[in-house]
């Protein structure tokens, strides 16, 4: 049953619509546009969070007319909408879709884009506000920004704003991330740059902050005096699917750790910010990243584990080894699994290890942060039949069964004192129902509102790459010899267990 408090918590708080603006999507013929961006914009329109003065300009190399683009989106929304599509609203929305064909490095195309934007702006009353979404291959990021600058399309004046959203991956190591930051800052100020990490669009990730800072009872124990260690797991059942080409270049470390996993880590470990203003929150996240001790080459050998899946069975289905996936070399040394033990060297977290693991083709999809508290002293139960006391565990499940659970010891009913472990669990859907969303709504809306809290700042991206840099270096110098080293459908290589065992700990079982 839904309690009164829960009902109050779900009372609608209508927000104000985003600023009037045009969103230009570079790479509009690609996957992201149809799967996430258009469905997210539609959801915003449905929630009255999209200005009535709004338009989209799709820009890509594919030859297509505006009419064809509208038809394509109308076909695809049927597949990718997260909720029922209302014909009237969709019709209103499609009237705001425009398209132009162009090469990302052709100055002429940007001149044409400028003309089209002026026309669209006039037609839809968008007040000269434009934001550009770079949904292209990363190799075009700095070129597109440079061209926008040259064409005068990035300049803010007379109260008109210009912003750029950049997809991941932002660089492929520290040097390339720095170079990209340098290039784009020749054209844009930091406040115009929105580096996206779609993990920050997830409700449950945003809720980490609310959970920590809107509740008085957790913060006093959120430190080294009470916490034994933290485990952050991002497990995926899927393999590399059609992305073998990209994955061969990236590997799991680059693909997941400096971005998604570090978002989870920083939100868990950061100090309370002085406000929820963008820079206040990001300052605290950046401090955590800077406090993570870079691993020495010796530590890379003892505190990191890499793996690659061989063939195996997932959910009763045989699946091929990574080396047999499309566009993957038959002797590939690319990792599909990573486990790390990191230390955040500050007063709050000294000596509290943060264990991270992520991989493809694990038994199931689950993302969670598990905070294991120190054991209670045994003294009181010495003379009772208790082998050991299970430590308290707080688990924040990010996906797919969003919720929070707390494990604690309880007396098993009966004439003798026996202890059992029980769980107190909260599930989002029980209280709030499920709100269908793509995860991009909030991020797009925030960009329209000029709120960069949930986007990465230049120094954060660089700090993240600095942490993984020594690992990339050692791994490159010492190619793995035992790949594949875990069967698809298992929890990763044996070494990942050993990493935990060396600290007298173990990974949380996530079978259920
Ligand atoms: C992407 C990675 O950024 O995140 C993918 O490139 C990964 O490899 C995906 O599968 C995971 O995102 P989510 O939202 O499914 O957890």
């Amino acid at each position: 049953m839904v309690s009164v408090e829960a009902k109050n918590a779900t009372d609608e708080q209508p927000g104000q619509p985003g600023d009037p603006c045009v969103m230009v999507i570079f790479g509009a013929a690609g996957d992201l546009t149809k799967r996430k961006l258009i469905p997210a914009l539609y959801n915003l329109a449905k929630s009255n969070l999209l200005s009535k003065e709004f338009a989209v300009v799709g820009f890509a190399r594919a030859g297509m007319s505006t009419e064809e683009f509208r038809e394509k989106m109308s076909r695809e929304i049927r597949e990718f909408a997260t909720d029922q599509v209302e014909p009237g609203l969709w019709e209103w929305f499609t009237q705001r879709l425009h398209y132009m064909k162009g090469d990302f490095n052709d100055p002429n195309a940007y001149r044409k884009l400028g003309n089209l934007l002026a026309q669209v702006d006039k037609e839809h009353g968008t007040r000269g506000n434009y934001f550009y979404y770079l949904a292209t291959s990363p190799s075009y990021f700095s070129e597109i920004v440079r061209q926008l600058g040259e064409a005068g399309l990035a300049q803010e004046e007379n109260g008109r704003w210009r912003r750029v959203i950049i997809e991941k991956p932002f660089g492929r190591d520290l040097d390339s991330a720095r170079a990209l930051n340098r290039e784009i800052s020749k054209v844009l100020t930091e406040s115009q740059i929105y580096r996206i990490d779609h993990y920050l669009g997830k409700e449950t990730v945003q809720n980490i902050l609310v959970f920590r800072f809107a509740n008085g009872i957790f913060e006093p124990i959120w430190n080294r005096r009470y916490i034994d260690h933290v485990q952050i797991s991002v497990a995926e059942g899927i393999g590399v699917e059609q992305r073998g080409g990209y994955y061969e270049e990236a590997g799991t470390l680059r693909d997941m750790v400096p971005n998604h996993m570090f978002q989870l880590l920083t939100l868990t470990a950061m100090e309370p910010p002085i406000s929820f203003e963008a820079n206040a929150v990001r300052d605290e996240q950046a401090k955590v990243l800077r406090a993570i001790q870079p691993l020495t080459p010796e530590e890379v050998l003892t505190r990191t584990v890499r793996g690659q899946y061989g063939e195996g069975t997932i959910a009763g289905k045989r699946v091929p080894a990574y080396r047999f996936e499309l566009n993957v070399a038959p002797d590939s040394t690319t990792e599909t699994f990573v486990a790390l033990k990191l230390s955040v060297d500050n007063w709050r977290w000294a000596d509290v290890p943060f264990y991270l693991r992520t991989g493809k083709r694990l038994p199931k999809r689950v993302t969670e942060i598990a905070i294991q508290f120190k054991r209670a002293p045994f003294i009181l139960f010495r003379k009772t039949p208790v082998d050991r006391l299970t430590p308290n565990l707080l688990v924040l499940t990010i996906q797919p069964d969003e919720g929070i659970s707390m494990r604690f010891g309880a007396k098993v009913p009966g004439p003798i004192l026996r202890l059992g472990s029980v769980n107190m669990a909260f599930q989002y859907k029980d209280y709030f129902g499920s709100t269908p969303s793509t995860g991009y709504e909030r991020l797009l809306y925030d960009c329209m509102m000029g709120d960069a809290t949930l986007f990465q700042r230049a120094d954060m991206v660089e700090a993240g790459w600095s942490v993984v840099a020594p690992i990339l270096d050692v791994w490159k110098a010492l190619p793995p010899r035992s790949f594949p080293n875990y069967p698809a459908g298992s929890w990763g290589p044996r070494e990942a267990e050993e990493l935990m065992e060396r600290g007298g700990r173990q990974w949380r079982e996530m079978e259920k």
Side-chain angles (χ1 to χ4, degrees), residues 168 198-199 202 236 238 243 246 255-256 260 360 365 399:
K168 84 174 254 278
H198 80 276
Y199 263 54
K202 294 182 193 286
E236 295 187 274
I238 55 169
R243 300 162 73 225
Y246 156 75
D255 188 44
M256 298 297 287
H260 308 328
K360 302 253 184 229
R365 176 173 194 241
Q399 57 190 18

Side-chain angles (χ1 to χ4, degrees), residues 11-187:
D11 277 352
E12 286 278 302
Q13 297 241 334
Q16 71 184 94
D19 274 8
C21 59
V22 183
M23 173 180 181
V24 180
I25 306 176
F26 286 94
D31 248 28
L32 191 72
T33 305
K34 65 177 183 196
R35 283 175 188 277
K36 304 287 182 187
L37 302 181
I38 296 292
L41 289 171
Y42 174 76
N43 286 348
L44 284 176
K46 201 165 174 181
S47 329
N48 291 319
L49 291 173
L50 199 61
S51 168
K52 297 279 173 262
E53 287 87 37
F54 175 78
V56 171
V57 171
F59 181 114
R61 283 168 300 189
M64 222 184 325
S65 66
T66 284
E67 222 19 75
E68 284 164 339
F69 183 58
R70 289 177 183 173
E71 279 163 18
K72 176 169 156 33
M73 293 300 130
S74 301
R75 270 193 314 275
E76 288 163 349
I77 192 74
R78 287 193 220 125
E79 189 178 345
F80 297 110
T82 56
D83 208 355
Q84 204 118 62
V85 179
E86 292 169 14
L89 181 61
W90 178 253
E91 176 59 24
W92 174 88
F93 184 76
T94 47
Q95 292 312 310
R96 277 148 190 81
L97 298 179
H98 302 263
Y99 182 82
M100 83 163 260
K101 168 183 160 45
D103 262 330
F104 302 133
N105 41 22
D106 171 14
N108 251 327
Y110 290 80
R111 262 195 295 281
K112 277 200 212 142
L113 176 64
N115 293 339
L116 176 61
L117 277 171
Q119 183 194 318
V120 169
D121 183 45
K122 211 148 131 213
E123 187 180 328
H124 297 287
T126 48
R127 303 193 203 161
N129 298 327
Y130 307 152
F131 74 105
Y132 307 99
Y133 198 114
L134 311 194
T136 64
S137 143
S139 54
Y140 289 113
F141 291 167
S142 66
E143 176 64 10
I144 294 174
V145 171
R146 194 182 68 76
Q147 295 273 6
L148 287 172
E150 299 262 297
L153 291 171
Q155 213 173 332
E156 301 191 309
E157 53 193 6
N158 306 329
R160 301 186 310 221
W161 54 256
R162 301 288 154 91
R163 297 171 188 145
V164 179
I165 300 187
I166 303 186
E167 260 296 330
K168 84 174 254 278
F170 196 92
R172 64 182 320 274
D173 53 22
L174 181 56
D175 287 345
S176 53
R178 275 192 182 139
L180 183 52
N181 274 331
R182 232 183 355 256
E183 286 304 309
I184 61 178
S185 67
K186 287 181 189 158
V187 177

